[in-house]
Amino acid sequence: MTEKVEKRVAGSLTRFYVVALFIVAMLTLGGLYLIRKTIMSLNYDGRVVNVAGRQRMLSQRLAKLAILKTGKIAYRDSADFDSLLTVWKESNQQLATRKLMVGSDIVTWKSGPLDEMFARLEPVFNTIYQGLNKINDDNLSLSEKKQALDIVLQNEPVFLNIMNDIVFQFDKESFARLKNLERIEWILDIMTILVLFAEGLLIFRPVVNTTRRAVRLLTESEDALLKANRDLERSNSELIRVQKDILRIEEEKYQLQLAEDRIRASALIEGQEEERRRFARELHDGIGQMLTGLKLHAEKLGQTQFTDEKQRERFNQLVRLIQDTIQTTRQISYNLMPSVLSDFGISAALNLLCQQTSQASGLKINFQGIEKRIALSQAIEIGLYRIAQEALNNVVKHAGAENVNIRLEQNKNSIILQIEDDGKGFLIRNLKNKEGSFLTQNGIDNIRTRTQLLDGSMEILSEPDHGTTLEVKIFV
C-alpha cells in the first residue's frame, strides 16, 4: 500500500514538474521569437527610413542640377540627370505602394497615417517630376524650362516637409513597436515567475515534506541516522554546487545585461554622430553652396545702376544678410561635426573649441594640449570632443566662472582630459537623486555615458565657492 502511494505521489510530482518545465520553455521560446521578429522589423524600418532620407537628398540634388542646366552653368557632378530622376521616381513608387525593394528582399508595412502622407505627397511629387522632365527636354525653349524650374522650386519645400513628416512617422511607429515588445516581455517574465512560484508550491514543498517524514523515521536507529547524515551531506554538497551555479548564472546574466545596455547606448550615440555628419554635409554641400551661388548672383546684380539710393541701401542690406546667413550655416555645420577634428586631430579641435567658446561667452579659457597629433581612433576623438563640449557648456550655463583651464595629456597607456573652472562649485552629493543615479540636467549623465562607452573613468571634484574639476581618463 505504501509503495503504491509513493509511486502515485512520485508520478504526480513528475507530471507537475514536466508541465512546469514545458510552460517555462514555451514562454522562453515565445519571448525569443517575439524579440527576433521585432529586431527584423526594426531592421526593415531602418532600411525604409534610409530610402526616405535618400529621397530628400535626391530631390535637392535634382533641383540643383535643374538650376545649373537651366542657367547653362558648367558643373562637375558626375551623376546622370536621367538616372537620378529614374531612381527618384522608382523609390517614390515603391514607398507609395508599400513594397520597397532592398537588395533581394521586399519590405512591406501597414500604416494608415503613412498612406495618408504618401497620398498628400503624390500630387507634389508628380508636379516636381513633370517640371524636371521638361527641364531635361532639349526640345523645349529656355523660357519654358525656366517656368518649369520655378514650379519645381515652389514645390520642393513642400515635398521636403512631407518627407520629413514621413520619416518621423516611420520612426514613431518603430518606437511604438519596440515599446509593445517591452510590454510583452514584461508579461512573459511575470508569467515565468508565477510558473516557478507554482512549481515551488506544488512540487518542491511536497518533496520537502516527504523528506522530512523520511528523516524522522530514520532517526529511530543509529544506522539509519548515520545513513541519513551521509545523505544530508551529499544533499548539502549538491545544494552548494547548485547555489554556486545559480550565482554564476545570475552574474553572467547581469554582465550580459550590462553589455546589452552599452551596445544599445553605443549604437544610439553612433547614430547621433552619423546623423550629425550627414546634416553637416547637407548644410555645407547643399544649402551652403546654394547660398554662395545666391551671393554671387546678388553681387553681379549690384554692378547695375540704381535709380534710388534707398534701393542701393536695401540691396547692400540684402547682400550683408546673405553673407550672415552663409556664416551662420557654416558655423552650424562646424558645430555638428568640426572638420578640424578629422583633419588635425583632437588637440587642434579642442584648441579651436576653446577659442570659439571664449569669444562667444567672454570667459578666459586656457588650453594646454599636445602639439603633435595624437594617434587615436575616430570614436575616442569624437567622444573626447563631445565631453569637452558638454563640460564647457555646463561651465558657461551654470558655473558662473571667469577662468577655465583645459588640459589634454597623453601617458603611456591613457589619455587624460581635465576641465577646471573657478566658478561657484557645488556639493557632489547633490548630483544624485534618491535612487543614486546621476541627474541629466547638467549634462553629467551624458559625459558619464560617453566615458563608460570608451572604457574610461570619470572623476568630479567640487566644493561650494571653490570651483569644479572634471577629469576623464581613457585607456588606449
Side-chain angles (χ1 to χ4, degrees), residues 207-450:
V207 170
V208 172
N209 292 334
T210 302
T211 304
R212 185 182 300 147
R213 289 194 297 269
V215 172
R216 188 173 60 250
L217 293 174
L218 290 175
T219 54
E220 294 177 355
S221 64
E222 183 178 356
D223 293 337
L225 180 60
L226 293 175
K227 183 176 180 299
N229 288 334
R230 288 193 295 270
D231 291 340
L232 287 173
E233 289 177 359
R234 287 195 298 271
S235 299
N236 288 334
S237 298
E238 183 68 17
L239 181 60
I240 292 174
R241 185 184 65 81
V242 171
Q243 289 176 342
K244 290 181 179 179
D245 291 340
I246 292 174
L247 291 175
R248 178 179 55 81
I249 292 172
E250 289 296 328
E251 179 64 23
E252 291 176 353
K253 181 179 179 181
Y254 175 72
Q255 294 298 329
L256 181 61
Q257 290 176 346
L258 288 180
E260 289 177 352
D261 291 341
R262 297 182 74 181
I263 291 173
R264 188 180 296 110
S266 177
L268 288 173
I269 290 177
E270 183 178 354
Q272 290 176 352
E273 295 297 338
E274 181 62 30
E275 189 69 8
R276 284 174 175 174
R277 280 193 288 268
R278 185 181 69 81
F279 278 140
R281 288 195 300 269
E282 289 185 0
L283 285 174
H284 184 272
D285 299 338
I287 297 176
Q289 297 299 329
M290 293 172 68
L291 289 172
T292 302
L294 179 61
K295 180 187 175 186
L296 293 175
H297 285 297
E299 290 175 348
K300 289 181 179 179
L301 183 61
Q303 298 174 1
T304 61
Q305 296 295 328
F306 290 90
T307 58
D308 189 355
E309 185 62 29
K310 290 184 178 180
Q311 293 180 354
R312 166 67 67 178
E313 180 62 27
R314 293 193 191 98
F315 175 79
N316 292 334
Q317 290 178 356
L318 176 62
V319 172
R320 289 194 295 272
L321 179 60
I322 293 174
Q323 181 61 38
D324 292 342
T325 305
I326 292 174
Q327 186 63 32
T328 302
T329 302
R330 289 175 178 172
Q331 186 63 38
I332 293 173
S333 176
Y334 180 85
N335 290 337
L336 287 172
M337 184 53 63
S339 57
V340 68
L341 184 62
S342 58
D343 294 339
F344 302 102
I346 182 62
S347 186
L350 290 179
N351 189 20
L352 184 57
L353 174 65
C354 292
Q355 294 176 10
Q356 293 177 341
T357 306
S358 178
Q359 292 175 359
S361 63
L363 293 177
K364 295 180 181 179
I365 303 178
N366 178 37
F367 174 72
Q368 298 177 359
I370 304 169
E371 294 184 358
K372 63 179 182 179
R373 180 164 185 173
I374 308 173
L376 297 174
S377 66
Q378 185 182 30
I380 293 179
E381 286 186 337
I382 292 176
L384 288 173
Y385 185 82
R386 297 303 183 198
I387 288 172
Q389 261 188 332
E390 191 71 53
L392 283 177
N393 185 50
N394 284 345
V395 172
V396 172
K397 288 184 177 180
H398 307 290
E402 295 181 357
N403 299 280
V404 182
N405 294 317
I406 297 182
R407 181 172 60 89
L408 182 67
E409 177 183 334
Q410 182 181 23
N411 293 332
K412 183 177 181 181
N413 59 350
S414 64
I415 295 292
I416 298 175
L417 175 64
Q418 186 182 81
I419 298 95
E420 180 182 4
D421 66 74
D422 59 356
K424 58 187 177 182
F426 55 87
L427 293 175
I428 298 297
R429 63 173 178 268
N430 292 338
L431 282 177
K432 297 185 178 181
N433 58 20
K434 295 181 180 179
E435 286 74 22
S437 62
F438 282 93
L439 298 175
T440 60
Q441 58 264 26
N442 291 329
I444 298 298
D445 188 61
N446 293 334
I447 296 175
R448 180 174 61 88
T449 300
R450 286 186 180 273

Side-chain angles (χ1 to χ4, degrees), residues 102-154:
V102 181
S104 59
D105 298 332
I106 298 179
V107 181
T108 61
W109 62 89
K110 295 181 180 180
S111 173
L114 287 174
D115 291 342
E116 189 272 334
M117 290 179 183
F118 279 114
R120 288 192 292 113
L121 181 68
E122 188 65 21
V124 179
F125 174 83
N126 290 333
T127 302
I128 297 177
Y129 181 75
Q130 292 172 4
L132 292 174
N133 273 329
K134 290 180 180 180
I135 293 171
N136 196 38
D137 189 352
D138 295 333
N139 296 324
L140 295 179
S141 64
L142 181 60
S143 61
E144 291 176 328
K145 290 184 178 182
K146 288 184 177 180
Q147 291 177 359
L149 177 61
D150 291 337
I151 294 175
V152 170
L153 295 179
Q154 289 174 3

